[in-house]
Amino acid sequence: MDKQRMSREINLLELFWQILFGWRQIICFGLIFAGLFAGLKYAKDMKAYQSAQKISVESQEDELSREEMQQVIAARTLITRIGEYEKYLETSALMKIDPYKKSVVELQYYVDSGYTFNYTQESENDYSRDLMTLYYNFIVGGDMSQNVIEDAGLSIDQASLSELLSASQADNSIFIKIICNDEEKMDAIAESVKTQLKEKESKLQIVGSHKLRLLGESQNAVVDNALVDRKGAISNTISILNTQLGTLKSGMNEQQLNLLDNEEENRKDFAKTQVPQFNIKYAILGLGFGIFVICAWIAYKIGFATRLQSSEEIRSQYGVRLAGVIELPFKKKRFFSSLDSAILSIKNRKRKQLTIEHQIGIVSANIALTCRKNGIDCVYMTGSEYENMDTSILELLKAELAARNVQVKEGGNIFYDVESLERGTELGNMLFIEQVNVSIYDEIANEFNLAKEQGSHILGVVVFT
C-alpha cells in the first residue's frame, strides 16, 4: 500500500483549484516578496548613493597646515554661497518673471462687521481687528498656499508660492497681490484664493457676524523696479563672491587647489546622481517570485500529502469500491468569503447542487441496494477517523439506512480499537467512512489490510469532502 501511495497520480485540475482557493496566501506572499525585492534593491542603491556622497579627502587635508586648511574652508564657504545664489536664480519662480512686463492681479477685500459705536448705549466689543488678523494669517499661512498649489496645478513648493502671493492690511481692508508669468495659471490662483476666502467667511462667523466683501479685482502689466533691483543685487553678490574666491585661490598652493578641484568635481558628479527610488521592476519580479513560491508549496503539499486528497483515490490507490460521496457545507472564512464562494461556484458550474439530505439519500440507497443483492441486513460502520466525523451527518446516514431496512452498528478504528475489531469481524460486513484532508493514507491502508486478513467483507467507502 505504501508503494502505491507514494506513486499516486496527481490530478492537475484539482491542483489548479487548490491553488485558486489559496489566493489569500498568494496575495500575501506576492506582496511580501515584492516589498522584499524592492526594499533590498533600494537599500543597495541607497548605500551606493551615500558612499558616493562622501568625498575622500582626509589624506589630502592631513598634509596641509592649519593656516592652509583655513583658507580651503573659507573657499568652501564661498563656493557654497555662490551655489546657493545661482540655484535660487535658476529655480525661483519669482526670478523667472520678466520685471519689465510683470503681470499682476490685485484683489481688495473689506471686512464688514457692521460695528457702530453709540455713546448713549452700552456697546459690544469690536471684533473687526480679530477678524482681520485671522484672515491675514489664513492668506499667508500654509493651508491656503497648499490648496492653491493643488487647485491651480502648480509645480512649485510653498516657499516659491509665497513670493508670488502676498497680502497686506490697512484698517478693515485686505489687499492681495498675485504674480505669475502664465496668465492661465494666474487666473487659476485668483479663483482658488477667492473660493477659499468664501469658505473661510462661513467658518469665521463663529467669531462674529460679518461680511467679507470683494471691493475690487484688477489685472495689470507693470514694471517692477524692486524686482529689477533684487535680481541685480543677487547678480552683484555672485560677482563679488566670485571675485573673493578668485583672490583667495590666487594665494593658494597647488595642493590646496587640487583639494578644492577634487571636491568640486565630486560635488558635480554627485549632483548628477539621482536619488534612489523604489524600483517597480524589482517589485514586479518579487511579486512573481512570491506567487511562484506559494504555488510550488501548494503543489508540494498535495504531491507529498499524508492525508486523503480526493474521493477517487479510494478506487485508484486501494482498489476498494466507492459507495458514495457526501459534500459537506463549505466553511466560510472570515474575510472575503464571497470570493471563495465565487471560485467554488465556478468549479461546480457543470454539476447539480444537491442538499446534504439529498446526497445522504442517494448514498444510503446505493448501500441498501448492495446489501439487498448480497442478502445483508446489517452493516458495521467504522473508519480511520470515525470518532472525528460530523455526528449529525452520521446520524442522518444511519437513519436513512434504517429506513431502508439496513441495521447499522458502529465503532472506532479497527486497527486500534480491539472491541471494534471484534464486533466488526463478527458481523463480517464493513462500511468505511473517510474524509478528505482528515483521513491518513497509512491508517486507511492498515484498516483495509486488517479487514481483509480477518476475512471481512468490505461493502465500500463513503467519503466526506
Side-chain angles (χ1 to χ4, degrees), residues 143-243:
D143 290 340
M144 170 173 274
S145 60
Q146 185 58 42
N147 291 333
V148 167
I149 291 172
E150 294 174 0
D151 294 343
L154 304 178
S155 56
I156 58 176
D157 55 18
Q158 291 183 348
S160 297
L161 181 64
S162 65
E163 295 182 322
L164 305 180
L165 178 62
S166 59
S168 60
Q169 55 179 332
D171 296 331
N172 284 16
S173 297
I174 298 176
F175 303 91
I176 302 172
K177 184 181 291 185
I178 301 167
I179 306 169
C180 188
N181 54 2
D182 186 333
E183 187 174 345
E184 184 177 346
K185 294 290 185 183
M186 187 165 58
D187 292 339
I189 294 173
E191 288 301 319
S192 177
V193 170
K194 289 188 285 186
T195 300
Q196 292 186 68
L197 286 176
K198 191 67 177 177
E199 294 174 356
K200 195 67 176 177
E201 178 189 5
S202 61
K203 293 180 181 179
L204 291 183
Q205 295 299 321
I206 191 172
V207 177
S209 178
H210 69 281
K211 291 286 186 181
L212 182 64
R213 304 185 186 279
L214 178 60
L215 298 183
E217 177 179 358
S218 61
Q219 180 174 344
N220 303 298
V222 298
V223 176
D224 192 341
N225 293 319
L227 183 57
V228 173
D229 295 339
R230 186 173 180 181
K231 281 188 173 184
I234 294 174
S235 298
N236 290 336
T237 302
I238 293 174
S239 178
I240 294 171
L241 292 175
N242 277 318
T243 301

Side-chain angles (χ1 to χ4, degrees), residues 1-10 300 302-307 313 316-318 441-442 445:
M1 287 290 183
D2 280 348
K3 292 181 180 179
Q4 290 180 352
R5 181 175 62 81
M6 293 302 293
S7 61
R8 66 188 179 87
E9 295 181 358
I10 298 176
Y300 171 81
I302 294 176
F304 293 91
T306 59
R307 300 181 186 274
E313 289 180 333
S316 61
Q317 299 301 121
Y318 303 102
Y441 287 117
D442 290 341

Side-chain angles (χ1 to χ4, degrees), residues 220 331 393:
N220 303 298
K331 293 182 179 180
I393 304 297

Side-chain angles (χ1 to χ4, degrees), residues 328-334 337 340-341 344 390 435:
L328 301 178
F330 181 72
K331 293 182 179 180
K332 294 184 177 181
K333 296 186 178 180
R334 182 175 298 179
S337 59
D340 292 324
S341 301
L344 183 63
D390 191 327
Q435 185 169 339

Side-chain angles (χ1 to χ4, degrees), residues 47-80:
K47 185 177 181 180
Y49 178 79
Q50 291 174 345
S51 297
Q53 189 177 11
K54 297 177 181 178
I55 304 173
S56 301
V57 295
E58 290 83 359
S59 59
Q60 299 181 41
E61 291 179 352
D62 293 339
E63 298 176 2
L64 298 177
S65 65
R66 182 175 180 181
E67 291 75 12
E68 291 173 336
M69 194 60 215
Q70 287 178 347
Q71 288 180 324
V72 172
I73 293 173
R76 288 175 181 170
T77 303
L78 290 174
I79 292 172
T80 301

Side-chain angles (χ1 to χ4, degrees), residues 30 110 126 129 177 203 218 251 256 289 338 351 442 456:
Y110 179 76
D126 184 10
R129 301 304 303 170
K177 184 181 291 185
K203 293 180 181 179
S218 61
Q256 289 173 302
F289 183 77
S338 58
R351 296 170 55 187
D442 290 341
S456 297

